[in-house]
Amino acid sequence: MARTIGSSGPKTMEAIRKAGLRLIFEHGYSAMSLRQLAAAVGIQAGSLYNHISTKQELLFDLVQDHINELLRQLDLALEGKQRPAEKLSAFVAFHVTYHMTKKREVFIANSELRSLEPKNYDAIVKLRGAYERRLAEILAEGVSQGVFEVVDIQVATFAILALLTGICTWYRPGGRLTREAIVAAHEKLVLSSVTPGGTTSSARTGPARTTPVRKKSGPSRNVAPSQPRD
């Protein structure tokens, strides 16, 4: 990459963030060095410290900005939606579309969570919790109005998120289905899973419970196919 001497501070910072995102995605946080990052941007290694203090700071900023943008765009997608089914459909459409277009950001936010220092880790988990609560509140509202049938709000929240986020592992642009068709398929899967009569189980004869979200439980039953076709 051409050397960026003389470029403005914001321009160089943006180049650092883009290069850092790419390098962490391709090599992993632990394997990426600041010297490697500086070379990718086209500046001296020492000049990095004019923009970031540590590699940890860069990782935290990338993940934090990703989740803040996720929350901001979700709130926009939900604006004007009144009925629980309408809100859930909008949530699914937004989540799937975002995750089809932001693969690097999503991958790093999930896979490198373990690389964050305790204070940074706690801050990110809190932000993730805010996003999860958006979905949990939609499900709880639908249950209270009798339009959704959910055995456990917490389990359903994590299962739906696991199903939707799984698209990052198999989606490839230019596949058999359009993005719109993929979004529509996920909307139908999720809406049918919470609609009364949409699923059958001898164990689901009692009333729906609206258990509040506290901490993560086991993995979802809904997983992407082992040999997916997009």
Side-chain angles (χ1 to χ4, degrees):
M1 182 174 179
R3 190 173 295 277
T4 58
I5 291 177
S7 61
S8 65
K11 183 178 179 180
T12 302
M13 186 65 227
E14 182 61 22
I16 291 171
R17 290 171 60 87
K18 287 182 177 179
L21 187 70
R22 176 178 62 81
L23 292 171
I24 295 173
F25 177 75
E26 292 177 353
H27 306 290
Y29 173 78
S30 298
M32 185 197 76
S33 69
L34 291 181
R35 185 175 298 278
Q36 184 183 25
L37 176 60
V41 176
I43 60 177
Q44 296 294 327
S47 298
L48 277 176
Y49 296 105
N50 294 325
H51 306 279
I52 60 172
S53 58
T54 62
K55 188 170 72 167
Q56 174 71 198
E57 178 191 333
L58 175 63
L59 176 63
F60 176 67
D61 286 346
L62 289 173
V63 177
Q64 179 179 240
D65 288 352
H66 157 67
I67 301 181
N68 279 330
E69 182 65 10
L70 194 67
L71 285 164
R72 186 187 72 82
Q73 290 196 31
L74 173 61
D75 287 341
L76 289 175
L78 292 175
E79 276 187 2
K81 306 298 186 295
Q82 300 297 325
R83 296 178 293 107
E86 189 181 17
K87 292 179 182 178
L88 184 56
S89 180
F91 181 96
V92 172
F94 163 74
H95 190 95
V96 172
T97 301
Y98 187 96
H99 284 64
M100 283 192 287
T101 57
K102 299 287 186 178
K103 184 174 181 178
R104 288 179 175 179
E105 291 86 345
V106 172
F107 177 83
I108 290 172
N110 291 331
S111 67
E112 296 295 352
L113 190 64
R114 61 177 184 251
S115 299
L116 291 170
E117 295 174 352
K119 181 179 179 180
N120 291 337
Y121 176 90
D122 290 343
I124 295 303
V125 168
K126 184 177 180 179
L127 279 177
R128 284 165 58 116
Y131 187 80
E132 292 159 359
R133 281 193 298 276
R134 298 288 202 284
L135 175 56
E137 288 164 0
I138 293 171
L139 295 175
E141 181 183 4
V143 169
S144 68
Q145 294 184 17
V147 295
F148 292 162
E149 183 178 341
V150 178
V151 173
D152 187 281
I153 297 297
Q154 179 181 357
V155 172
T157 296
F158 292 130
I160 290 172
L161 287 173
L163 169 65
L164 301 180
T165 304
I167 195 169
C168 292
T169 66
W170 60 264
Y171 171 73
R172 297 292 182 274
R176 179 173 58 86
L177 298 177
T178 64
R179 287 185 178 180
E180 292 75 15
I182 292 172
V183 169
H186 281 80
E187 287 184 40
K188 185 173 182 179
L189 279 169
V190 172
L191 267 295
S192 64
S193 73
V194 299
T195 300
T199 58
T200 58
S201 172
S202 59
R204 298 184 182 183
T205 56
R209 296 187 288 118
T210 56
T211 306
V213 176
R214 291 186 293 274
K215 62 180 181 179
K216 291 190 176 182
S217 60
S220 163
R221 298 195 313 265
N222 295 314
V223 295
S226 58
Q227 293 183 327
R229 297 290 187 270
D230 61 342

